[in-house]
Amino acid sequence: MKIAIMGAMSEEIEPILKEVKEYKVSKVADNNYYECNYAGHDLVIAYSKIGKVFSALSATIMCERFGAKCMLFSGVAGAINPNLKIGDLIVATKLAQHDLDITAFGHEYGYVPEGSVYIETDATLRALAQKVAKEQNIELKEGIIATGDQFVADESRVEWIRDNFDADALEMEGASVAVVCDALGVDLFVLRAISDSADMDAGFDFDEFLCSSAKVSASFILKMVENIDSYK
Ligand code: 4EZ
C-alpha cells in the first residue's frame, strides 16, 4: 500500500527526506514528488506550498497520480487551546474551513451545500498514533483543527475561530487535504506541532520555532510509518 506524506513548506518535509536518504524525484503540475521505500513501505512525499488550493492540488496528485491509499500530513500550527504549548503535538480528530462563508444565505460558517462543516480523520490511524506515542513516551494531544487561507496573528480572530468551530489549533492546509481524501476514499492522518499561539507574537514565534516544531512532527510521522504494519 502506497503511503503519502505531505507538508506545506519545505521546512516541514526536509527532515523526512533527510531521513529516507534515497528517493526518485518527479515533477507533476509544477511541483516535486519524491518516491522511496522506507521501513518496507512505498512512500510518495511532497510539500505542496502554503494554503488550501496548493494543498488540495498536491493531495489530489498524490492519490490519483501516485496511487496513495493513506495520507499522513506533517507540519506546524498555531495554538488556540491554551493547553497547547510550542512544540506540543496535536492530532486532528476532525477539520473545518474557518474562512468558508456563505452565511448570507443562512448557512453556518464552514458549510457549503452538499459538503459538511467538519471532516473526520481516520480513527484507525489515530489509534495507531496513540499506541506509538505511548511506546515512545510521547504526549499526543487530539483536537479539532481549523484551516483557512490566512496566517492568523490576532487574538480576536483566534477567539472567533474557537467560538465558531470549537477548534484547538489552526493552520492553512488540513481541511482542504481532508476534503480531497474524503472524496477519494483515502485514509487521512493530520499531525501538527505547535509553532506559535496565533496572537500578536505569532510572526516572531513562527520564524523562531518553525524548524524545531516541524522536526518534532516529522520524526513522529516516520515512527508511525515504521509501525504501520499493524494498520488494516
Ligand atoms: C500554515 N502554516 C503556516 C504558514 C506560514 C509563512 C511564510 C501553519 C501555521 C499557521 N497558519 C503555523 N502558525 C499559524 C498561524 N498562526 N496561522 C495560520 O499551515 C507561512
Side-chain angles (χ1 to χ4, degrees):
M1 181 193 59
K2 187 95 157 233
I3 301 168
I5 301 179
M6 76 173 280
M9 302 177 69
S10 65
E11 289 87 345
E12 292 170 326
I13 283 310
E14 221 102 87
I16 290 167
L17 292 177
K18 214 172 144 191
E19 214 47 52
V20 303
K21 293 180 186 102
E22 270 181 55
Y23 43 78
K24 179 185 150 205
V25 189
S26 19
K27 196 157 210 169
V28 181
D30 201 31
N31 198 24
N32 285 335
Y33 293 85
Y34 306 88
E35 288 174 282
C36 69
N37 189 280
Y38 179 81
H41 297 284
D42 288 326
L43 305 181
V44 55
I45 304 167
Y47 70 91
S48 59
K49 297 185 281 292
I50 296 156
K52 296 197 297 179
V53 175
F54 282 130
S55 59
L57 173 63
S58 286
T60 305
I61 284 167
M62 291 169 109
C63 300
E64 291 287 279
R65 190 75 76 97
F66 291 91
K69 295 283 174 274
C70 164
M71 169 77 67
L72 310 176
F73 193 102
S74 182
V76 300
I80 297 177
N81 188 327
N83 293 328
L84 289 170
K85 306 296 180 203
I86 287 167
D88 285 358
L89 284 169
I90 176 168
V91 173
T93 52
K94 56 183 186 175
L95 303 103
Q97 298 179 62
H98 68 71
D99 59 349
L100 187 53
D101 179 357
I102 54 164
T103 56
F105 299 92
H107 294 295
E108 290 170 84
Y109 286 107
Y111 179 83
V112 292
E114 298 180 58
S116 63
V117 176
Y118 295 101
I119 297 181
E120 286 182 21
T121 56
D122 185 75
T124 311
L125 286 169
R126 266 189 273 134
L128 169 70
Q130 289 299 344
K131 186 182 144 241
V132 170
K134 206 173 167 193
E135 284 165 6
Q136 308 264 342
N137 227 338
I138 292 168
E139 194 188 357
L140 257 198
K141 289 175 171 145
E142 288 198 341
I144 298 173
I145 292 184
T147 301
D149 281 328
Q150 316 169 328
F151 182 83
V152 178
D154 170 7
E155 249 145 303
S156 67
R157 182 71 188 163
V158 172
E159 273 167 37
W160 185 90
I161 293 170
R162 187 197 56 212
D163 295 348
N164 282 279
F165 295 93
D166 200 23
D168 298 288
L170 55 84
E171 34 84 315
M172 303 174 68
E173 299 83 18
S176 41
V177 173
V179 169
V180 169
C181 290
D182 183 54
L184 298 176
V186 169
D187 295 334
L188 173 66
F189 179 77
V190 177
L191 181 68
R192 297 273 184 172
I194 300 301
S195 56
D196 59 85
S197 295
D199 56 10
M200 57 186 239
D201 298 325
F204 298 103
D205 288 343
F206 179 83
D207 281 341
E208 186 166 349
F209 299 109
L210 165 63
C211 289
S212 56
S213 293
K215 277 181 198 147
V216 171
S217 178
S219 82
F220 191 84
I221 288 287
L222 286 175
K223 288 191 185 103
M224 267 187 80
V225 174
E226 289 160 21
N227 286 277
I228 216 159
D229 299 322
S230 45
Y231 152 83
K232 284 173 185 171

